[in-house]
Amino acid sequence: MEERFSVKITVGLLLINNGKILMMKRKNTGYMDGMYAFVAGHVEEEESLKQAMVREVKEEAGIDIKEQDLEFICGIREKSHCRYINFFFKTDKYEGTPKIMEMDKCEKLEWIDIDKIPENTIEAEKRAIKNYINKLYFDEYNF
């Protein structure tokens, strides 16, 4: 019997502070190194999407957020990465000061103006920002 197509699920956070969003520059991950991305990661088997987002933010940026403060932005699936479906959330509520927690995977962590996102930003993140602004909740592209 053929194995059915399956996908992995990721979550990403648009963390907003005074019109800026927190972005990290990836390194040594094997995926989109040198590109800017949100704090993000894979959802584990026994987690909800919001639980995964809370965990990833703590692991990658050292800050605490609450599930009830997360607002769903959109889900995105891209053909070239069709084994992934990405769910993006936003919040402006957090405790602590963001800092690089995984020095081996993150070159830089910085607040960037939402309207001045670097060219070398992962396409899904660019689209998530645009979708947030335009209130588009689902996005598929390159199909």
Side-chain angles (χ1 to χ4, degrees):
M1 176 181 253
E2 274 188 54
E3 189 175 324
R4 287 189 173 261
F5 172 75
S6 62
V7 297
K8 294 181 181 180
I9 300 171
T10 66
V11 290
L13 182 66
L14 195 79
L15 185 65
I16 301 173
N17 185 349
N18 294 321
K20 297 183 180 212
I21 59 172
L22 187 68
M23 298 196 78
M24 54 186 4
K25 191 172 184 184
R26 301 173 59 87
K27 72 173 184 180
N28 300 323
T29 67
Y31 175 75
M32 301 287 180
D33 292 329
M35 302 286 283
Y36 280 91
F38 301 145
V39 172
H42 291 90
V43 176
E44 294 178 1
E45 187 174 352
E46 299 298 321
E47 288 182 309
S48 71
L49 297 174
K50 288 183 174 184
Q51 288 169 340
M53 192 75 268
V54 168
R55 176 183 52 77
E56 287 291 348
V57 168
K58 184 68 170 180
E59 288 176 2
E60 294 185 3
I63 58 174
D64 294 305
I65 59 172
K66 295 184 175 129
E67 288 181 44
Q68 64 265 25
D69 294 330
L70 291 170
E71 180 184 329
F72 176 73
I73 295 174
C74 66
I76 296 180
R77 182 174 179 220
E78 177 198 358
K79 185 176 183 183
S80 65
H81 293 75
C82 60
R83 291 213 173 261
Y84 284 89
I85 297 177
N86 310 291
F87 290 90
F88 294 96
F89 295 91
K90 84 159 197 76
T91 190
D92 59 1
K93 297 177 182 166
Y94 61 95
E95 293 179 14
T97 301
K99 57 188 170 288
I100 298 172
M101 300 298 290
E102 298 176 318
M103 300 295 288
D104 58 324
K105 296 180 183 178
C106 181
E107 179 179 329
K108 195 185 283 187
L109 185 66
E110 61 186 297
W111 293 102
I112 297 175
D113 287 328
I114 198 164
D115 57 349
K116 295 180 182 169
I117 300 304
E119 281 297 314
N120 60 329
T121 297
I122 294 174
E123 183 64 26
E125 272 78 344
K126 288 180 184 178
R127 293 179 79 96
I129 293 167
K130 182 179 176 186
N131 293 345
Y132 164 64
I133 292 166
N134 294 320
K135 297 186 180 351
L136 178 64
Y137 300 105
F138 181 73
D139 192 3
E140 287 187 309
Y141 62 102
N142 291 339
F143 281 87

